[in-house]
Amino acid sequence: MARYSAHLSLAEIGRHGQQHIRDSHIALIGAGGLGCAAAQYLVSSGLGTLTLCDFDTVAESNLARQILYRAADVGRLKVEAAAASLRALNPDSTLHTVAKRMADEDMQNLFPACDLVIDASDNYGTRLAVNRNCLALKKPWIMASCIRMEGQIMYLRPDLPEQPCYRCAYGSAPDTLEDCPGAGIFAPVAGIVGAAAAHFALSGLAGKPPPAGIHLFDAANWQWQSLKIGKQTGCRDCA
Ligand SMILES: [Zn+2]
């Protein structure tokens, strides 16, 4: 356990929290800039099992921010290249891969076995599908997104009563409606928000859940803003 000694010293994690991290399974949707950064910290921190989901292959234009991939990985399936990189980082973690675009049926098959889901995809349709399926299964999940010089993160708790869902919230965050591809993204912003997703996930698993609401990062002015979100009466997904 020397690998985790710095966690064991923390009042917020400790032996009990680290044990929970080791006993947990996370599904990570998207092995892009956010997913690479999140996966590194999840696996280096001793997460028991990680299932990586991504249909895509590594492109040269990914290498600036998708830090699990090397130049020689161009053309390779992202989940395969990422899993190889993560296994070298920490052989203690069990890695599973799903090399497909995740549809409702895939989520219904995968999520029941997981303690937590992280959506690090680059599109609104997938995020809404994760919202729907996590609501149906009462599964906590983390939404992380970034674009240009901005990031957003939320810890959603459909496992608790009367909590807002992602669709309840997005009205206050119109930027998420724009998909990432083509809009540009500053590489470190993806790393910061991806690391924040790992922080949220590991804290939640260790019994210290992060604050509710939507957390917005404005990298250009280096400001974080947290907004409260209420459950919307008449929400199409959770009402
Ligand atoms: Zn809702």
Side-chain angles (χ1 to χ4, degrees):
M1 288 288 262
R3 175 185 279 269
Y4 312 115
S5 58
H7 282 185
L8 302 183
S9 308
L10 288 174
E12 293 84 354
I13 307 294
R15 192 162 293 278
H16 187 72
Q18 189 62 38
Q19 187 70 40
H20 275 288
I21 291 169
R22 198 187 77 178
D23 291 342
S24 296
H25 180 180
I26 291 179
L28 176 58
I29 315 295
L34 292 166
C36 281
Q40 273 200 322
Y41 281 104
L42 294 172
V43 167
S44 69
S45 296
L47 177 70
T49 307
L50 179 67
T51 298
L52 277 170
C53 311
D54 200 303
F55 65 93
D56 209 359
T57 53
V58 179
E60 190 185 354
S61 61
N62 299 151
L63 297 176
R65 67 188 179 283
Q66 301 185 18
I67 52 170
L68 289 173
Y69 312 129
R70 303 293 170 258
D73 291 323
V74 170
R76 204 173 168 197
L77 272 173
K78 285 186 178 180
V79 290
E80 280 183 11
S85 191
L86 293 165
R87 283 188 185 107
L89 177 61
N90 188 355
D92 293 348
S93 291
T94 301
L95 290 162
H96 301 298
T97 60
V98 182
K100 62 194 293 192
R101 197 186 284 277
M102 296 294 281
D104 283 311
E105 185 185 288
D106 305 305
M107 295 182 191
Q108 286 154 13
N109 288 334
L110 173 61
F111 292 178
C114 300
D115 300 284
L116 180 77
V117 175
I118 300 176
D119 175 67
S121 69
D122 62 0
N123 72 88
Y124 196 58
T126 300
R127 227 167 279 145
L128 283 176
V130 172
N131 186 55
R132 273 196 310 276
N133 288 293
C134 286
L135 274 170
L137 294 162
K138 298 194 187 321
K139 196 65 70 179
W141 68 286
I142 291 164
M143 185 286 296
S145 69
C146 61
I147 193 166
R148 295 183 293 265
M149 299 286 253
E150 296 157 28
Q152 300 192 355
I153 185 163
M154 297 174 75
Y155 187 64
L156 293 135
R157 299 297 304 270
D159 54 316
L160 301 179
E162 294 306 308
Q163 297 296 305
C165 80
Y166 178 67
R167 197 189 278 278
C168 290
Y170 85 87
S172 61
D175 273 355
T176 53
L177 295 173
E178 189 177 355
D179 288 352
C180 297
I185 172 73
F186 190 40
V189 174
I192 291 163
V193 180
H199 170 86
F200 273 37
L202 295 168
S203 304
L205 294 176
K208 296 274 188 264
I214 183 161
H215 309 282
L216 308 170
F217 179 48
D218 169 4
N221 296 298
W222 204 260
Q223 288 182 333
W224 282 95
Q225 189 187 7
S226 297
L227 304 175
K228 288 210 183 324
I229 294 154
K231 193 171 174 69
Q232 300 296 311
T233 48
C235 170
R236 257 196 290 163
D237 284 351
C238 73

